Structure formats: C-alpha cells, structure tokens
Amino acid sequence: METKVVLDTDKWIDNYADYLYNYTIVRVNDSDLAKDIVQDTFFAGLKSAKNFEGKSSERTWLVSILKRKIIDYYRKTNSKKGQAEVRMNFYSDGDNEGDWIEERVPKTWENEAEKSIENKELNQQLASCIAALPEKYRLVFTMKTIQDFDTEEVCNELEISASNMWVLIHRARTQLRKCMEDNWFNS
Amino acid sequence: MFKNLKITCDEATTICDKNQYGEATFYEKLTLNIHFIKCKVCFLYTKQNNTLSKILKYQAKDCKGKLFTLQNEEKEILKKKLKQTDI
C-alpha cells in the first residue's frame, strides 16, 4: 500500500531549520555559508521528497541530506588550488627533509606566564588566528578541538583517513602557533 | 632497532599535536621523548602547544553551551523560497 507523504514546508522550517542550522554551523563555522547549506538541504529534500519512505524520522532524513551537502562543500574547498597562503614549516625534500625551516622555528614566548587563559583579548586573538587558517585546516581543526568530536566521527563525516586528519591538524596547529607568536606573545 | 626510534621534527610535532588530544600511542610518545633529547626546538614547540591547548579548551567550554538559531525573518524568507518551488 502506498502512503502519500504530504509535505508541509512551513512546518519543516519551523521544526528543523534551527536544528539543521546549528548542526551546520558547528561544522563550517561561517553563518552565511551555513544558511546557504541549510537552504540547499531543504531544496534537495523537497526535490527528492517522493523518495522519502518514512523508514526514519523526517529529521534524520534531512540530516542525512545535510551531511552530504557538508561533505560536498568540504570536497570543494579541499580541491581548491589557491593554496598560496599555506606556508610550510618543514623542509619537504633534500638533506634536511623534515627539519624546521629556519624562519618558522618557534621562538621563546615573552611574558607567557602572566597571560591568563581567561584574558578576553587573548581569546579574541586566538579566534582571529583560527579564522585566518585555510578553510580545510580550519574545518578539521575546529571540529576536533573546539567541538570536541571523536577522531572517528570527524573521519566519517568528512570521509578522510585518520592519518590524513592528523596531518591537517598538525598543519593547522603549527600555523596557529606561528600566528599567535607573531600577533600576541612577541608582538 | 634504534634507527626506528629516530624521527624528524615534522614527525615529532605531528605526534605532539596528536598527544594534545590524548591520542598518541605509547610508542609514539617514546620516540617523541627521545627526539627531545637532541632537539630543543621541538621541546619548545611542545611547551607552547600545551599553552595553546589550555586556551583552546577554555574556548571550547565557552562555545559548547551556545545554541545557534536562525532569525525569524530569515525563516520567513526561506519559507517563501521553498513555496515558490513547491510542486
């Protein structure tokens, strides 16, 4: 027997928009982008509504569409060629492969101890350093560090391997360290 | 076998980053500590990384309780847009 699914899009938005938006923003960290992705999800949901079999709840179904959208977005940023802003910290070949590149070597931080972690400006500076990270590093880094996701979760959602994830985190953290050194600790 | 214990600075800092989340293995931590003996730079990196982790943890705590919602006007716009494509 076929049951006709009656869609009430007004209700969709009232019931799920906030949930989907919240779900997206913790993953992409950009409110405009999150809104776009949520909107796309609703459109895609509407388009494929006839495929909805009612096996799962409407919300779960929409979240599964949303997840695909986030992965698509991640793939897109991942394949972007414009990565001039990515500065390497280690020599990638030659005799000293894997050694620190001289100007990227950590310097001693001045007055490190007297800066409290609750210092507002310090936290603001850190946030802007995170915002300045290349998109794909930032996404993985914030999911893992700020949102406190398990490694497995991050890897599943973004469809990357664990070692790939650690490389991205490593690059994010070395850049973040340098950024904080230049703009806060030794400025 | 000692050759296997030798790692580059790139590898050492990767292990250090992993360790910030408590996910480095015992063997990795061992190689990292051996690396510290000859490399003061990575030792310094680790120290600074720990400081960053402390600040980040504070931010994470601050951010977790936050709930992001859409504005009502934004929802209304979205409703209209969806209606237009309604079949």
Side-chain angles (χ1 to χ4, degrees):
Chain A
M1 195 179 86
E2 260 186 44
T3 47
K4 189 161 168 21
V5 189
V6 184
L7 285 172
D8 187 345
T9 47
D10 278 5
K11 255 197 192 139
W12 262 17
I13 290 164
D14 287 334
N15 290 341
Y16 312 120
D18 281 335
Y19 181 84
L20 297 185
Y21 178 64
N22 205 47
Y23 187 98
T24 315
I25 202 162
V26 301
R27 286 161 176 83
V28 302
N29 231 329
D30 175 328
S31 64
D32 286 333
L33 181 69
K35 280 172 205 162
D36 283 348
I37 293 179
V38 169
Q39 186 180 316
D40 282 355
T41 304
F42 280 126
F43 280 131
L46 201 61
K47 238 188 235 167
S48 56
K50 55 180 181 307
N51 302 332
F52 177 61
E53 292 166 333
K55 277 182 189 158
S56 55
S57 74
E58 243 175 10
R59 192 176 83 172
T60 316
W61 180 66
L62 284 168
V63 168
S64 69
I65 299 174
L66 181 62
K67 276 185 184 169
R68 295 294 339 160
K69 296 273 172 213
I70 294 172
I71 290 172
D72 286 348
Y73 162 73
Y74 175 71
R75 288 245 171 90
K76 225 163 48 192
T77 57
N78 218 357
S79 63
K80 261 187 203 155
K81 286 283 178 282
Q83 286 173 0
E85 75 273 37
V86 180
R87 263 181 254 120
M88 295 311 292
N89 295 289
F90 303 93
Y91 292 105
S92 55
D93 49 22
D95 279 349
N96 35 18
E97 183 185 347
D99 285 354
W100 284 94
I101 292 174
E102 218 149 303
E103 74 247 25
R104 308 289 290 175
V105 165
K107 299 185 188 77
T108 318
W109 285 353
E110 288 152 26
N111 49 35
E112 184 185 336
E114 55 190 76
K115 311 273 189 195
S116 138
I117 56 162
E118 278 150 58
N119 183 319
K120 213 174 160 204
E121 284 96 38
L122 169 69
N123 277 284
Q124 272 167 0
Q125 181 57 56
L126 186 65
S128 73
C129 277
I130 293 174
L133 288 173
E135 193 106 27
K136 62 171 177 174
Y137 298 173
R138 197 186 61 188
L139 182 64
V140 175
F141 177 76
T142 46
M143 272 175 86
K144 183 77 186 137
T145 317
I146 309 288
Q147 309 301 335
D148 217 3
F149 280 54
D150 288 336
T151 303
E152 208 182 322
E153 264 178 296
V154 178
C155 293
N156 283 344
E157 283 204 16
L158 304 177
E159 298 188 339
I160 54 175
S161 69
S163 57
N164 196 345
M165 188 202 80
W166 288 119
V167 169
L168 293 175
I169 296 234
H170 171 52
R171 293 191 184 153
R173 286 192 90 110
T174 42
Q175 287 214 32
L176 202 59
R177 193 210 65 78
K178 178 78 174 136
C179 177
M180 287 303 283
E181 179 172 291
D182 293 346
N183 295 301
W184 182 265
F185 289 104
N186 293 353
S187 70
Chain B
M1 74 165 277
F2 290 113
K3 229 179 183 175
N4 296 339
L5 293 172
K6 237 176 119 181
I7 52 173
T8 64
C9 293
D10 197 359
E11 288 163 328
T13 45
T14 307
I15 295 172
C16 166
D17 290 331
K18 214 168 164 182
N19 204 23
Q20 298 302 315
Y21 306 90
E23 293 184 38
T25 62
F26 174 75
Y27 181 76
E28 284 173 330
K29 281 188 262 186
L30 182 70
T31 55
L32 179 63
N33 278 292
I34 290 169
H35 184 83
F36 285 159
I37 297 170
K38 65 163 183 123
C39 184
K40 293 292 159 248
V41 174
C42 287
F43 186 73
L44 179 63
Y45 175 85
T46 304
K47 197 180 140 214
Q48 295 176 346
N49 214 357
N50 290 340
T51 308
L52 281 185
S53 284
K54 248 187 249 160
I55 312 167
L56 285 162
K57 219 173 235 166
Y58 175 76
Q59 285 209 344
K61 216 173 72 196
D62 205 36
C63 154
K64 259 207 183 136
K66 241 190 250 170
L67 199 68
F68 300 92
T69 53
L70 287 166
Q71 303 280 315
N72 276 336
E73 302 91 71
E74 288 170 332
K75 285 186 196 168
E76 291 306 320
I77 294 170
L78 201 53
K79 279 179 189 175
K80 270 188 201 140
K81 277 188 185 168
L82 277 183
K83 276 254 165 68
Q84 279 164 7
T85 51
D86 223 338
I87 315 140

